[in-house]
Amino acid sequence: MQDKPNSERIADASATNWVDRYAPRAIHPYAKMARWDRPIGYWLLFWPCAISLALAAVARPATGFNFYYLGLFFLGAIAMRGAGCTLNDIVDRNIDGKVERTRLRPIPSGQISVPQAFVFLAAQCLVGLVILWQFNDFTKILGLSSIGLVIIYPFMKRITYWPQLFLGLAFNWGALMGWAAMFGELHYPAYYLYAGAILWTIAYDTIYALQDREDDALIGVKSTARLFGDYAQQISGLFYLGAAILWFLAADGAGAGPVYYWVMWVAPAILAWQILTLKPDQTPNCLIRFKSNFWVGLSFTLALYIEYAI
């Protein structure tokens, strides 16, 4: 099967994404609105959950690492990332058509109506609710308490230059959820993990938002990429440094030993590479560095898991 022409593909979707290649054409608009063709988003939603589970396993080895919960969190990340993107597209439907990177999204391009989008949003939320109900009562309440953050995030780019902060608050709730699923309560290592993940998100989403700075300025959309201006690279580096420090405190608080610290260097090395090689005015450069955060999450999870397993 040949690749679809570039005019039919959302700007930051891979030419080899599975939706364009294999999914039935009838579901293409819905799959693209849920960003199934751009999996980095649900991976970045999933990794804080996985890291939190691994952190809990290090803190209480006798309880073990729960692979069943890991699978639930992965499915939940796909469902809730899709729901969040659908809500975002509904809210931003009059903005997306004015931005080069987003003008082909299903609502502004006329492939999906707003009522159809609301039905799809409800279906994804229902899947997320079913998954959430597999956990203990404390985790259920904790999960439901994030709904407010999810709802207000799409509006923040109209109100504040810090929408990335609100994305971080909502997107990294899993850093608390994994620990809660294992302990039935929260302790300070989970809070350190959550705080560090928020700083991580502010930095990587600033890098992502660099792609839209010119369009955002023209239509009045705010972002940290615009706020930081010529210092976006340096300030993002400081946020990454803060994330690394908080993650150290989380691991130390959970009782991580030397094995973890021997393996964990990979994650900060990737973050340093991003900042040192970032070219803020080159869209492909920014997108590649943003997507490399998949490996940050994976390496952090594996470092904790190896520490637990050994």
Side-chain angles (χ1 to χ4, degrees), residues 46-89:
F46 166 72
W47 285 128
C49 306
I51 295 166
S52 189
L53 279 176
L55 189 70
V58 169
R60 188 185 288 175
T63 304
F65 184 87
N66 195 311
F67 285 96
Y68 174 65
Y69 284 172
L70 187 72
L72 289 177
F73 279 129
F74 182 69
L75 294 176
I78 295 174
M80 295 314 297
R81 190 260 184 146
C85 290
T86 301
L87 176 62
N88 188 77
D89 283 7

Side-chain angles (χ1 to χ4, degrees), residues 30-264:
Y30 294 96
K32 291 181 178 183
M33 187 159 60
R35 314 293 197 267
W36 295 344
D37 57 334
R38 282 154 287 167
I40 183 59
Y42 62 69
W43 280 113
L44 291 176
L45 187 60
F46 166 72
W47 285 128
C49 306
I51 295 166
S52 189
L53 279 176
L55 189 70
V58 169
R60 188 185 288 175
T63 304
F65 184 87
N66 195 311
F67 285 96
Y68 174 65
Y69 284 172
L70 187 72
L72 289 177
F73 279 129
F74 182 69
L75 294 176
I78 295 174
M80 295 314 297
R81 190 260 184 146
C85 290
T86 301
L87 176 62
N88 188 77
D89 283 7
I90 293 171
V91 173
D92 286 351
R93 60 189 183 276
N94 295 322
I95 293 177
D96 285 344
K98 301 175 183 177
V99 177
E100 178 63 25
R101 187 177 58 81
T102 59
R103 64 184 178 81
L104 292 179
R105 284 180 176 173
I107 295 179
S109 64
Q111 300 173 70
I112 292 179
S113 68
V114 173
Q116 287 173 323
F118 272 114
V119 171
F120 187 48
L121 171 62
Q124 292 173 97
C125 288
L126 181 59
V127 171
L129 186 63
V130 170
I131 292 170
L132 179 62
W133 243 244
Q134 309 309 306
F135 295 100
N136 60 55
D137 288 344
F138 180 79
T139 306
K140 292 175 188 175
I141 295 170
L142 184 65
L144 291 173
S145 67
S146 69
I147 291 175
L149 288 170
V150 174
I151 291 173
I152 67 171
Y153 163 67
F155 299 96
M156 290 300 103
K157 63 174 70 73
R158 296 165 172 80
I159 300 171
T160 174
Y161 280 98
W162 289 92
Q164 281 71 24
L165 169 61
F166 290 89
L167 177 66
L169 290 168
F171 222 62
N172 294 291
W173 207 251
L176 303 176
M177 295 281 288
W179 187 280
M182 299 306 298
F183 283 92
E185 58 184 336
L186 292 172
H187 304 100
Y188 72 89
Y191 291 116
Y192 282 134
L193 177 63
Y194 179 54
I198 291 170
L199 299 186
W200 179 38
T201 297
I202 292 172
Y204 72 58
D205 203 60
T206 296
I207 292 172
Y208 186 75
L210 289 171
Q211 302 173 93
D212 297 332
R213 278 197 296 188
E214 293 183 6
D215 287 333
D216 287 349
L218 289 173
I219 60 179
V221 169
K222 299 176 174 68
S223 71
T224 49
R226 288 188 60 202
L227 177 66
F228 299 160
D230 293 338
Y231 298 98
Q233 185 173 5
Q234 294 88 340
I235 296 174
S236 295
L238 291 176
F239 277 113
Y240 276 157
L241 177 61
I245 292 171
L246 287 165
W247 287 344
F248 168 82
L249 293 174
D252 184 66
V259 173
Y260 165 79
Y261 294 107
W262 275 107
V263 180
M264 180 52 191

